[in-house]
Amino acid sequence: MYRIACPSCGADVSFRAASSVLAVCEYCRSTLVRDADSVRDIGKMAELLDDYSPLQITSAGRFIDRNFSIVGRIQLRYDAGVWNEWYLLFDDGSGGWLSESVGQYVLTLPLGPIDQAPAFDSLAPGQRYRHGSHDFVFSDVRQAQCVAGEGELPFRVGDGWQARVADARCQQQFLTLDYSDDPARPELFLGQAATLPQLNMQLLRDNRMIQEKTGKLKGSVATLACLGCAAPLDYRAGAAAQLTCGHCGSQTDVTGDVATVIGLHKGGGQAPALTLELGATAQIERIPWTLTGVMVWREDEDASSEWSEYLLYNVDKGFRWLVESGEGWFLGALMDVWVDSERGGYAALGQQTFSRACPDYRASVAYAAGAFPWRAKLGDSMLLSEYQSSDRKLRLSREMNAQELVWTRSDRVEDAAIGGWFNQGPIASRYATGAAASPGKLKIALTATLVLLFINLPMAALGGHFGGRLLVSFIAVALLAMPLFQSATEEE
């Protein structure tokens, strides 16, 4: 360990990792760069954004039979939010990174620069990248800006430093190509998605420590007047980065000390009739979940096809999606472990195979309101691929836009269970009342019936054996219409 007095305030500043070249004084925020046996003060580091993270410098854990401790952090902002990169020091002196975003964690280890890598500008979500014997799929390709840092870091960084990174996944494995320092030879990092219990994390911040730092208890209700129309906007502290007003559509960033308008949309349009109310609480397996946001999606090629997604938040469990569609209700969450394979109209996950639920389609956000941990705005578009289990009770969704690709696992939930969660009677999906899907299918059955009768009745009357041919016609009609009527009945 290398220890020195801060040139600005005299406080002790430590370099615990031999690879650390930069440290931020925790008292005066001076940024100190280590050069041989001396340090230089290169200016003040911006203040960190209060993000209610349970992690802190000195938090410790274990990964693949090796102990580590957190010694530094940088905060990065991109167009849809903010995430943390925590710098780790292992007992053997090597380093690593623990990425934290929207309650999900990924731990990666540096493997050094690579010579033969695709150009950063040529990458896009969904593309494949071969490393070793595994095929990875790029999940996130974006540029971000460093807004703050603390502790010690293995490279020189400051306010405004640009990160250019591409993340890829293969089942639980996670790969990063970092083009920030050398676009021709990006740094390769390899690791896996994990939870804090899986990493056996210790010395975490508790709710009292978070409240002392931020001034708010994580998960407590806060209210802000919309900067566009003055309507009250309620959100949960620590669960929101962006607020979207359901009245005027204005968007407000609440990640900093002062709320900032990032999108002003006067005349946001008529709000749809929602089945569930923002702020409602659901008791799911004795755990309280608060409904913090809602988005209504609409298919680009069929304006009559839409569904609602309600964002649920629990202070300990994070986020879940409650989806209301023409097929009923589904409760979903982002997948840390991706599918094993996806080809030929099927997706495999573990020992289970899922078949296509429908052809790929594109949809856009038609309405958004509430608090989200990312920026949700009208017109956001994504391409969806959906797979379902043989009993149609479990669904896997592949959702991709220009910047990222995610997989979501959703379980079907009965109307009675939804009502029980919200302390009501059975709650039917407003899209599955029969008006949304059944009439079209019944129309097909009726048209087929008329066509067959139009063709066969004259033939039966002129050709003899009227009763037998009429019976055959009705049997054919029944066989054709049966699956359509059955499907319509299931949707109701």
Side-chain angles (χ1 to χ4, degrees):
M1 178 185 293
Y2 178 72
R3 180 175 296 168
I4 191 171
C6 173
S8 294
C9 69
D12 282 346
V13 178
S14 300
F15 289 83
R16 284 167 282 186
S19 58
S20 296
V21 299
L22 179 147
V24 179
C25 177
E26 63 178 304
Y27 295 98
C28 70
R29 307 291 299 164
S30 293
T31 303
L32 309 180
V33 175
R34 182 179 177 182
D35 184 12
D37 292 328
S38 62
V39 295
R40 292 182 292 112
D41 185 348
I42 61 173
K44 302 291 185 181
M45 179 69 75
E47 291 288 339
L48 292 160
L49 301 175
D50 292 330
D51 57 5
Y52 301 85
S53 171
L55 300 175
Q56 62 179 341
I57 291 180
T58 69
S59 290
R62 187 171 180 84
F63 181 65
I64 311 181
D65 298 326
R66 292 195 299 160
N67 297 323
F68 66 82
S69 59
I70 293 178
V71 297
R73 164 171 61 154
I74 58 174
Q75 280 186 335
L76 295 160
R77 180 187 290 277
Y78 65 112
D79 55 354
V82 177
W83 87 88
N84 289 317
E85 292 286 349
W86 298 90
Y87 182 50
L88 312 179
L89 175 63
F90 286 87
D91 286 350
D92 61 4
S94 62
W97 291 91
L98 181 58
S99 176
E100 177 189 24
S101 177
V102 197
Q104 291 188 303
Y105 301 89
V106 173
L107 195 153
T108 57
L109 304 176
L111 299 182
I114 55 175
D115 295 317
Q116 296 182 343
F120 178 78
D121 293 335
S122 70
L123 300 179
Q127 291 181 358
R128 295 186 178 274
Y129 179 78
R130 183 108 180 146
H131 175 72
S133 59
H134 295 93
D135 285 324
F136 287 79
V137 177
F138 282 108
S139 59
D140 193 286
V141 180
R142 68 176 75 247
Q143 299 187 56
Q145 183 176 10
C146 176
V147 294
E150 66 174 330
E152 52 188 285
L153 299 166
F155 50 81
R156 180 172 173 174
V157 65
D159 187 13
W161 178 81
Q162 296 284 335
R164 305 176 81 212
V165 293
D167 298 328
R169 289 179 178 261
C170 175
Q171 299 170 336
Q172 191 175 6
Q173 295 187 76
F174 196 95
L175 178 148
T176 295
L177 295 178
D178 188 345
Y179 294 79
S180 304
D181 293 331
D182 189 346
R185 300 181 72 235
E187 292 278 343
L188 173 65
F189 296 82
L190 191 64
Q192 65 185 47
T195 64
L196 297 185
Q198 288 173 342
L199 295 174
N200 193 28
M201 294 300 301
Q202 308 292 323
L203 303 177
L204 299 173
R205 293 200 302 174
D206 58 24
N207 287 335
R208 178 189 58 80
M209 297 171 66
I210 293 174
Q211 184 177 14
E212 288 180 353
K213 179 67 175 178
T214 64
K216 299 185 184 73
L217 183 65
K218 184 177 181 180
S220 61
V221 178
T223 301
L224 176 73
C226 173
L227 301 179
C229 68
L233 303 176
D234 293 337
Y235 64 98
R236 296 277 171 167
Q242 319 283 349
L243 306 181
T244 301
C245 178
H247 299 278
C248 70
S250 297
Q251 296 172 298
T252 305
D253 187 310
V254 292
T255 55
D257 294 332
V258 179
T260 305
V261 172
I262 56 176
L264 192 59
H265 305 285
K266 286 291 185 182
Q270 182 69 32
L274 300 175
T275 305
L276 303 175
E277 294 184 2
L278 286 174
T281 299
Q283 288 285 340
I284 304 177
E285 297 180 350
R286 299 183 180 180
I287 297 176
W289 295 81
T290 302
L291 200 161
T292 66
V294 60
M295 293 193 296
V296 176
W297 290 85
R298 182 176 298 145
E299 283 193 46
D300 290 358
E301 296 184 0
D302 182 4
S304 65
S305 177
E306 62 179 32
W307 72 95
S308 298
E309 295 184 355
Y310 298 93
L311 183 63
L312 299 177
Y313 172 74
N314 173 268
V315 67
D316 297 315
K317 302 292 184 179
F319 296 94
R320 298 290 186 273
W321 284 109
L322 183 58
V323 180
E324 179 187 18
S325 71
E327 298 177 74
W329 296 92
F330 289 84
L331 181 63
L334 293 177
M335 296 171 58
D336 282 331
V337 180
W338 278 22
V339 298
D340 303 327
S341 62
E342 180 193 15
R343 59 174 61 92
Y346 293 90
L349 180 63
Q351 301 299 316
Q352 195 168 5
T353 300
F354 298 78
S355 61
R356 282 272 190 183
C358 58
D360 291 355
Y361 62 97
R362 185 170 291 278
S364 302
V365 177
Y367 175 80
F372 303 90
W374 62 89
R375 185 176 183 183
K377 62 181 184 295
L378 299 182
D380 279 350
S381 179
M382 65 179 177
L383 179 67
L384 293 98
S385 304
E386 296 186 334
Y387 299 87
Q388 62 185 3
S389 58
S390 57
D391 60 4
R392 300 176 63 183
K393 293 183 178 180
L394 177 59
R395 179 160 293 190
L396 305 181
S397 300
R398 181 180 185 265
E399 304 161 6
M400 182 172 67
N401 60 26
Q403 287 78 37
E404 64 179 352
L405 183 157
V406 299
W407 278 90
T408 302
R409 171 193 168 120
S410 303
D411 294 276
R412 184 183 293 275
V413 183
E414 299 300 325
D415 296 350
I418 296 293
W421 291 352
F422 290 93
N423 196 28
Q424 301 180 32
I427 302 177
S429 167
R430 71 186 181 97
Y431 302 105
T433 60
S438 298
K441 295 183 177 180
L442 296 179
K443 184 178 179 181
I444 295 173
L446 180 59
T447 302
T449 301
L450 295 176
V451 170
L452 282 175
L453 291 177
F454 178 80
I455 294 174
N456 285 281
L457 283 179
M459 294 177 60
L462 295 174
H465 304 289
F466 182 83
R469 293 193 180 190
L470 187 61
L471 178 61
V472 171
S473 297
F474 276 108
I475 292 174
V477 169
L479 291 174
L480 177 64
M482 186 180 300
L484 294 172
F485 277 90
Q486 181 180 0
S487 177
T489 302
E490 288 176 354
E491 290 176 355
E492 291 178 1

